[in-house]
Every structure is written in C-alpha cells, then in structure tokens.
C-alpha cells in the first residue's frame, strides 16, 4: 500500500548433499569392513526421503560396492539395503540421517555374509584309522548336532542319509 514499507522479505537456501556408502562382503561376519573384504556389485540400496518407511529412490551398487544418492535436500532420511536370498546382513541398519546444508554424509555401509552349507559323512571306520577308506560304508540314521555359537548347546540336528551324508544349509557367521 502507498507509503507502507515492507521488510523481512528473506530468502533461505539449503545446499544439497550427497549420501553415500559401500556394500561389502563381510567374509568373517564381524560387521566391520576389514582388509580384503571387497565390495558387492549390483545390490539395491533404498532411500526413504522422510523416514516414513516408504521407498522414494533406489540405486544399484557399483563394481566396488559403492553407492550414492546425490542432490538430497533437508530432512530426516533413512537408507536400507534390499537383502538377497542366501545372504544375511552383518551390520546394523544405519540410524536415520538428518541432513545439514552442504554437509555430505558418507560411510553409510552395509556388510553381508553369504550363508554356507556345512556337510560331512558319518561312516563305519572299519580299521579305526580316522579316515574314510574305500569300501567303508556310510551310516544311515545317525543324529548329527550343530552348536551355532559354540556355547555347548545344540541348536540344530539332522539325520544321516543312507550313504551316511548329512548337511546343514543356510548357516550364518
């Protein structure tokens, strides 16, 4: 209006940031990227821009396991991996990320251990030498026990097959 000065016409800007990390094979299953533990290519990483458990953006990890989301604005964001069959995540999910103008956030890493199969043979050691020699038969129907955390408790059991073989599948670190 005529003669009325107007003030407080301000402009605020947020410098966009990049969120990044590495997806790696945690060979020893300790949840820490150690020497010789390489990146995993082709894994899907998800970004939830407002931490409301919805997926807003996805990206694939590069050959070295790296990934990034560029030009992320202000807010509280959540990053998660898409777990692949036959693997288990060894690192905790990262905390939600509150971005600050111009401050890139890195080291948002995910470690995974490829599940293994433990297998063997129960056999009649006819000569008692501790070695399965040709002609020594497998023993069917024997119970084999597995203690997953070496705490002297039985976690899994299986029975030997007619040839004496047994296995435990999908075992983690």
């Amino acid at each position: 209006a005529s003669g009325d000065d107007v003030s407080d016409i301000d402009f605020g800007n947020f410098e966009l940031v990049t969120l990044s990390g590495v997806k790696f094979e945690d060979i020893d299953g300790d949840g820490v990227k150690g020497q010789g533990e390489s990146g995993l290519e082709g894994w899907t990483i998800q970004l939830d821009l407002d931490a409301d458990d919805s997926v807003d953006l996805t990206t694939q990890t590069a050959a070295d396991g790296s990934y990034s989301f560029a030009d992320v604005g202000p807010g509280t964001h959540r990053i998660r991996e898409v777990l692949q069959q036959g693997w288990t995540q060894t690192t905790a999910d990262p905390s939600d990320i509150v971005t600050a103008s111009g401050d890139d956030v890195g080291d948002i890493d995910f470690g995974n251990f490829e599940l293994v199969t433990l297998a063997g043979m129960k056999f009649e050691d006819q000569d008692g030498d501790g070695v399965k020699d040709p002609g020594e038969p497998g023993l069917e129907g024997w119970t084999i026990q597995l203690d997953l955390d070496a705490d002297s408790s039985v976690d899994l059991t299986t029975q030997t097959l007619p040839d004496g073989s047994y296995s435990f599948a999908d075992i983690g670190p």
Side-chain angles (χ1 to χ4, degrees):
S2 178
D4 290 338
D5 293 333
V6 179
S7 61
D8 296 325
I9 304 172
D10 302 329
F11 296 92
N13 288 71
F14 183 93
E15 185 179 354
L16 299 176
V17 300
T18 297
L19 307 177
S20 63
V22 173
K23 174 86 187 119
F24 65 95
E25 182 174 8
D26 191 0
I27 294 170
D28 57 8
D30 67 355
V32 177
K33 187 175 187 316
Q35 188 171 354
E37 294 182 330
S38 57
L40 293 169
E41 179 179 13
W43 287 63
T44 301
I45 307 295
Q46 301 173 328
L47 174 60
D48 175 355
L49 288 170
D50 50 8
D52 67 351
D53 294 323
S54 66
V55 177
D56 297 301
L57 298 171
T58 63
T59 191
Q60 299 291 307
T61 57
D64 64 356
S66 64
Y67 72 90
S68 66
F69 294 98
D71 299 328
V72 176
T76 300
H77 312 296
R78 182 172 295 149
I79 294 182
R80 297 292 183 259
E81 70 169 340
V82 176
L83 194 58
Q84 292 185 12
Q85 185 174 2
W87 294 78
T88 189
Q89 185 175 329
T90 59
T91 53
D93 281 333
S95 299
D96 289 348
I97 301 154
V98 179
T99 53
S101 180
D103 290 339
D104 293 335
V105 180
D107 298 324
I108 310 167
D109 300 339
F110 294 92
N112 287 81
F113 180 90
E114 188 171 12
L115 300 174
V116 299
T117 296
L118 304 176
M121 174 77 60
K122 176 71 177 165
F123 64 95
E124 183 180 353
D125 190 4
Q126 294 172 335
D127 58 7
D129 67 354
V131 177
K132 184 177 185 318
D133 299 313
E136 292 183 327
L139 297 172
E140 179 181 7
W142 287 67
T143 299
I144 305 297
Q145 302 174 332
L146 178 61
D147 178 359
L148 291 171
D149 49 8
D151 66 354
S152 299
S153 68
V154 176
D155 297 301
L156 297 172
T157 62
T158 191
Q159 299 292 310
T160 58
L161 299 176
D163 66 354
S165 66
Y166 70 90
S167 67
F168 296 96
D170 297 327
I171 304 300

